[in-house]
Amino acid sequence: MGDAGPLKPGSVPLAVWRQVAEGAGFTLDPACRQPVEAAAKVVADIVARGETVYGINTGFGRLAKTSISADRLGALQRNLVLSHAAGTGGALAESTVRLILALKAASLAQGYSGVAWTTIEALLALAKAEVYPVIPAKGSVGASGDLAPLAHLAAVLIGVGEVSHKGERLDAREGLKRAGLAPLVLRPKEGLALLNGTQVSTALALEGLFGAEDGFAAATVAGALSVDAVKGSDTPFDARIHKVRGQPGQEEMAALYRDLLAGSQIRESHLDCGRVQDPYSLRCQPQVMGACLDNLRYAGRVLAIEANAVSDNPLVFADDGAVLSGGNFHGEPVAMAADIIAVALAEVGALSERRIALLMDPAMSGLPAFLVEDGGLNSGFMIAQVTAAALASENKSLAHPASVDSLPTSANQEDHVSMSTFAARRLGEMADNVAGIVAVELLAAAQGIEFHAPMGTSPKLGDAHGVIRSRVAFYDKDRYWARDLAAAKTLVREGEFRRFVGSGLLAEAGRL
């Protein structure tokens, strides 16, 4: 995957976080070390003075009023990690854990957490050696940080738990050995700094956003192909219509559809046809997809900020020695951004599914029923549309906002929580569902285009059609459908259609 280069904590762009998630190597800007060591000295000085400060020499949560003697501070940090490693469920994907390691290292490296530089180096070493802590996916409510999942990460640093390495599941100590590390003895505050923070929620939300980007791009191309396949009109994409409304995403999407359809022989063949209006799933694409685009961009801006944030507690300000307790660990920004992404994903998929249904119906499309010759003997795309409908329906349920829920924890000390971890985690499934829906539409629209031969679609859509046909042949008679669907879905998930809509489609002010 190459190298993402040294990360400059606080200003890492989303495109770089995506590279990291996809396997790119990374380091940290060496200039980070000085502020990290300055904050660590503040913590060491507090311990030397015997001053009582939350998170350094006290209990945690409801037990924050309990002072801990200096000779027990090592045990305090170790016990914190072990007791909080209470996650359950299947393990997070290695790509997610890699991103979590990078996010946590970059956050600690800003110099407000009071950890030793060697602790940050250990996180980097795990990622470099591809030794990934096994982190159960469930158990965080997204307040006080992603405590349970991050405790499983921190436990590996002290030689407890499991790791995955090149397909093997290993004991943590063996994993550390393969990364060239020995188990750490955590210093005062280090356990808390490792456990507090929104890095798990943020990593999951970022992966959901990247999946949404890929699905959105493919759905845009599929929608344009569907317009041509059913001999739809490009009049609804006229710039004058969208200018008078003034929604920026809508105007941009209309321009994109015009560009994709420009030069289509199929369109030229029916300029004077008697059809007055197309169904909404065709002619309202700029309005629906434009709204999704605007909201995905907003969510991207929120996540770009959070990915560069310091979100543990308490925070150490080395310039004046202050140690301040607040609530940056609360995952509400991530939870709300994830809910926005979820709604956009559900709508992208819902609109695509309606276009698939349109392509199936000869009365609406003018194409053979279920897009296959010799219907009756062949069922064609009949059940593929059912699959798309099932996936779209699932996404409607998954799109229910998670951020409106809260259950108090820690004996009511943490009496409002964000549910950001689940809000973000379900995005992976939703993006995968959208990829499946759009894959069906891409195949269906490509099939429809070929029924108009020798007339061709536009040059750009012709190129997109070629990408589809590079993996899946024309459906001339019934065959094992799942293989075709899997191949087309892989094209979507690999981002093969992003180049047709511009690399910065979901970008500006939160650039992907």
Side-chain angles (χ1 to χ4, degrees):
M1 180 60 200
D3 197 323
L7 308 181
K8 186 174 182 180
S11 59
V12 181
L14 287 178
V16 174
W17 293 125
R18 178 164 188 153
Q19 288 178 302
V20 170
E22 292 175 348
F26 63 92
T27 56
L28 289 175
D29 185 337
C32 301
R33 183 165 185 165
Q34 187 278 326
V36 167
E37 293 180 338
K41 184 177 185 303
V42 171
V43 173
D45 289 346
I46 287 171
V47 173
R49 292 195 303 268
E51 183 181 345
T52 300
V53 176
Y54 171 72
I56 295 175
N57 47 21
T58 70
F60 309 102
R62 191 64 182 267
L63 303 175
K65 295 180 181 179
T66 304
S67 295
I68 309 297
S69 61
D71 62 325
R72 302 173 74 191
L73 294 184
L76 173 68
Q77 297 301 313
R78 182 179 178 85
N79 289 348
L80 175 70
V81 172
L82 297 178
S83 66
H84 284 52
T88 188
L92 294 177
E94 289 186 355
S95 61
T96 307
V97 178
R98 180 178 184 79
L99 190 51
I100 293 167
L101 287 168
L103 289 165
K104 175 55 80 174
S107 178
L108 297 177
Q110 293 192 54
Y112 297 100
S113 302
V115 304
W117 181 251
T118 52
T119 300
I120 298 171
E121 286 183 318
L123 296 172
L124 299 176
L126 289 177
K128 183 177 181 179
E130 299 180 19
V131 173
Y132 299 114
V134 173
I135 301 178
K138 299 181 181 181
S140 174
V141 296
S144 253
D146 292 310
L147 291 173
L150 286 173
H152 284 274
L153 182 153
V156 167
L157 294 177
I158 62 173
V160 178
E162 291 184 306
V163 301
S164 60
H165 176 61
K166 300 186 184 301
E168 281 187 271
R169 185 71 70 91
L170 305 169
D171 175 80
R173 287 179 177 269
E174 176 61 26
L176 289 174
K177 183 178 178 181
R178 295 194 184 186
L181 298 169
L184 296 181
V185 176
L186 297 177
R187 305 181 191 192
K189 195 184 177 298
E190 288 195 319
L192 187 59
L194 288 165
L195 268 58
N196 262 182
T198 62
Q199 287 79 33
V200 174
S201 297
T202 303
L204 289 164
L206 285 173
E207 289 193 318
L209 181 67
F210 301 149
E213 179 188 24
D214 295 336
F216 186 96
T220 301
V221 173
L225 276 170
S226 291
V227 169
D228 237 11
V230 302
K231 292 189 173 181
S233 174
D234 58 0
T235 298
F237 309 139
D238 189 297
R240 292 167 292 183
I241 295 172
H242 306 282
K243 184 177 181 180
V244 297
R245 191 177 200 185
Q247 294 288 354
Q250 177 180 325
E251 290 189 72
E252 191 168 338
M253 292 306 297
L256 186 51
Y257 288 117
R258 291 195 303 272
D259 181 60
L260 287 171
L261 288 159
S264 168
Q265 295 175 348
I266 297 172
R267 176 56 183 139
E268 292 295 322
S269 74
H270 63 94
L271 286 173
D272 299 318
C273 68
R275 183 186 295 180
V276 177
Q277 289 184 329
D278 293 324
Y280 289 2
S281 61
L282 296 180
R283 65 182 165 111
C284 294
Q285 288 185 82
Q287 289 81 0
V288 177
M289 295 291 279
C292 292
L293 176 60
D294 287 336
N295 279 282
L296 288 171
R297 283 177 170 166
Y298 169 76
R301 289 195 294 272
V302 172
L303 295 179
I305 293 169
E306 193 68 18
N308 286 285
V310 180
S311 57
D312 62 289
N313 187 67
L315 297 176
V316 180
F317 295 88
D319 55 349
D320 62 359
V323 180
L324 305 179
S325 185
N328 280 0
F329 48 65
H330 201 290
E332 198 76 3
V334 180
M336 287 189 170
D339 282 344
I340 289 168
I341 296 169
V343 171
L345 280 167
E347 283 297 271
V348 169
L351 195 65
S352 177
E353 187 280 326
R354 287 293 80 204
R355 292 192 298 265
I356 297 167
L358 178 65
L359 287 160
M360 300 299 106
D361 185 351
M364 298 291 288
S365 69
L367 298 167
F370 304 109
L371 299 171
V372 70
E373 298 285 11
D374 205 2
L377 175 64
N378 294 307
S379 294
F381 283 63
M382 181 188 295
I383 303 304
Q385 187 268 326
V386 174
T387 296
L391 297 176
S393 181
E394 278 190 20
N395 274 2
K396 291 175 186 178
S397 295
L398 289 169
H400 183 280
S403 60
V404 298
D405 187 29
S406 178
L407 284 173
T409 60
S410 193
N412 284 309
Q413 174 74 8
E414 298 155 7
D415 58 350
H416 182 276
V417 301
S418 72
M419 301 299 177
S420 60
T421 321
F422 169 68
R425 178 163 49 83
R426 50 80 195 261
L427 296 178
E429 184 175 359
M430 294 187 72
D432 192 66
N433 286 345
V434 167
I437 297 166
V438 175
V440 173
E441 186 185 4
L442 287 165
L443 294 174
Q447 188 86 353
I449 290 292
E450 291 185 50
F451 282 120
H452 297 300
M455 291 185 299
T457 186
S458 69
K460 288 189 176 181
L461 292 179
D463 289 345
H465 182 273
V467 171
I468 298 165
R469 287 289 172 251
S470 71
R471 302 280 183 96
V472 182
F474 180 79
Y475 197 91
D476 58 342
K477 60 183 179 181
D478 283 345
R479 60 179 184 247
Y480 187 59
W481 231 102
R483 188 175 291 115
D484 290 2
L485 177 55
K489 185 176 172 182
T490 298
L491 288 172
V492 178
R493 294 311 305 258
E494 290 179 349
E496 289 292 331
F497 297 97
R498 288 168 60 195
R499 60 190 170 96
F500 293 100
V501 299
S503 60
L505 185 64
L506 299 188
E508 314 313 330
R511 200 163 185 85
L512 297 179

